[in-house]
Amino acid sequence: MRTRRPFKFFQLFAFLFIITGILPASAQQFTWQAGLPAISETGFYTISLHPEFIAKSDDTALTDVRLFERETAVSYILRHDTPYITLPSPVITTRNDAAHRRTVIQLQFKEEYLIEQLKLTVATPAYFKRYIYITKDTSSMTPGQEFALVSGQPAAFKLYTPLKTRQCFIIIKNEDNPALQVKDISARQQHIYLTAWLEKGKSYLLKTGVPDLPAPVYDLPYFANKLPERIPMLEAGNITPIPAVIKNMPSPAAETHSSVFTSKKWIWVGICSIIVLIALLSIRLLRDMRERK
């Protein structure tokens, strides 16, 4: 019988190791949340994502956006649609680089917005054809995304690869021409929204802000063509940091529901209990080893 005890101990140790990994993992995750208004009727709803909420996401594909009812993830369809939404105006700084025959325009935003389109308004001259490059970093070896800026043609450029950034640059190649006088620049993104089945009387939260979180795989997108043509729209508001992750912030609206695995108090009680149990098992194993000697 004694020969079995070390094996049983290692089984228990492996189980406890897994539990200690699960407890803190369930406590972290998302850093930002936005609440939905009360659901008056059960059914499908479109949830519009504000640019400020999208700015909190970790990547351009919004793979870390989740919809929760308490601790349960809710399936959704992520959609992009027109018309474009104009983002809050950036701070614009223009520098004419005569040595390289170019104009460098720096755009600085308050948030890490998702930029899918840039629109320029040129004051002078009346006729021009220039090539422009849009990039996040002027020191990069790659020139950025290239577009032709021509008088009399629309100067709204849809980016081949959307940028998610607080800062980007528009580089205008002047060659031997005088610099253009650009009087206005606006950044835009498509209308981005979720479609989900929501139930009356339940509370829902949008969450985001997890680095490298894989995109969810839901059943609902396979049935997108079966959804009703007209779906009510909800606006997610009250974007706040989640207090369990971001500290020293003004008191945000905390989630109204918690469980054993998301409460800080119970997590620490669980961790301390596991440490004590491991210590007791270790003492017992040492005693067994001494008895066998």
Side-chain angles (χ1 to χ4, degrees):
M1 294 296 292
R2 288 181 179 178
T3 56
R4 284 187 166 185
R5 286 179 180 174
F7 178 71
K8 289 182 178 179
F9 170 78
F10 286 119
Q11 283 183 318
L12 285 171
F13 184 82
F15 171 74
L16 293 172
F17 180 80
I18 292 170
I19 292 296
T20 55
I22 291 174
L23 283 174
S26 62
Q28 52 97 30
Q29 300 298 328
F30 301 93
T31 54
W32 294 91
Q33 63 186 18
L36 298 186
I39 306 303
S40 57
E41 296 292 337
T42 298
F44 282 107
Y45 287 85
T46 292
I47 305 163
S48 183
L49 301 184
H50 289 182
E52 288 75 12
F53 181 81
I54 294 170
K56 310 300 185 186
S57 179
D58 187 61
D59 61 20
T60 58
L62 311 183
T63 59
D64 61 334
V65 172
R66 296 291 187 276
L67 177 62
F68 284 97
E69 190 277 313
R70 297 192 182 186
E71 301 304 318
T72 303
V74 178
S75 176
Y76 65 76
I77 303 172
L78 178 65
R79 303 189 180 193
H80 299 241
D81 202 358
T82 54
Y84 283 91
I85 299 171
T86 301
L87 301 174
S89 299
V91 175
I92 301 173
T93 306
T94 302
R95 177 174 60 88
N96 289 319
D97 183 357
H100 295 91
R101 301 188 300 175
R102 66 180 188 174
T103 299
V104 179
I105 303 174
Q106 181 185 36
L107 309 181
Q108 292 178 298
F109 300 88
K110 291 183 179 179
E111 300 253 21
E112 199 171 276
Y113 289 115
L114 177 64
I115 303 169
E116 296 182 293
Q117 186 189 69
L118 285 171
K119 183 178 180 181
L120 285 70
T121 303
V122 178
T124 58
Y127 300 101
F128 54 85
K129 180 181 179 181
R130 310 285 170 89
Y131 288 98
I132 69 170
Y133 301 90
I134 299 170
T135 180
K136 289 174 65 173
D137 185 5
T138 56
S139 63
S140 174
M141 296 299 291
T142 56
Q145 302 181 53
E146 180 183 0
F147 302 92
L149 179 61
V150 183
S151 55
Q153 296 183 11
F157 305 104
K158 180 180 179 181
L159 303 187
Y160 312 128
T161 303
L163 300 178
K164 195 167 186 301
T165 181
R166 288 177 179 266
Q167 173 180 273
C168 68
F169 297 87
I170 300 173
I171 301 172
I172 304 174
K173 299 294 290 182
N174 294 321
E175 301 298 345
D176 297 320
N177 303 292
L180 298 178
Q181 298 299 313
V182 180
K183 67 178 183 179
D184 185 53
I185 301 174
S186 61
R188 301 175 175 183
Q189 71 173 45
Q190 286 185 301
H191 178 213
I192 302 175
Y193 56 94
L194 309 180
T195 301
W197 177 266
L198 307 181
E199 297 183 35
K200 180 181 178 179
K202 293 187 176 181
S203 298
Y204 295 90
L205 283 174
L206 283 169
K207 296 187 181 184
T208 193
V210 184
D212 304 319
L213 185 66
V217 180
Y218 296 134
D219 295 332
L220 189 57
Y222 292 100
F223 305 97
N225 60 350
K226 298 182 181 297
L227 299 185
E229 291 186 6
R230 294 187 178 182
I231 301 175
M233 181 174 291
L234 301 176
E235 295 285 340
N238 247 357
I239 302 168
T240 58
I242 297 177
V245 179
I246 298 179
K247 303 180 184 298
N248 301 322
M249 299 290 290
S251 300
E255 293 181 51
T256 55
H257 301 280
S258 63
S259 68
V260 171
F261 291 105
T262 56
S263 168
K264 277 186 173 182
K265 175 183 174 182
W266 284 108
I267 288 168
W268 282 110
V269 169
I271 291 173
C272 293
S273 301
I274 289 167
I275 291 171
V276 172
L277 186 56
I278 291 174
L280 292 174
L281 289 171
S282 300
I283 293 170
R284 180 159 184 181
L285 177 63
L286 290 172
R287 285 179 181 174
D288 289 344
M289 293 173 69
R290 286 172 185 169
E291 289 176 5
R292 286 198 299 274
K293 289 180 180 180

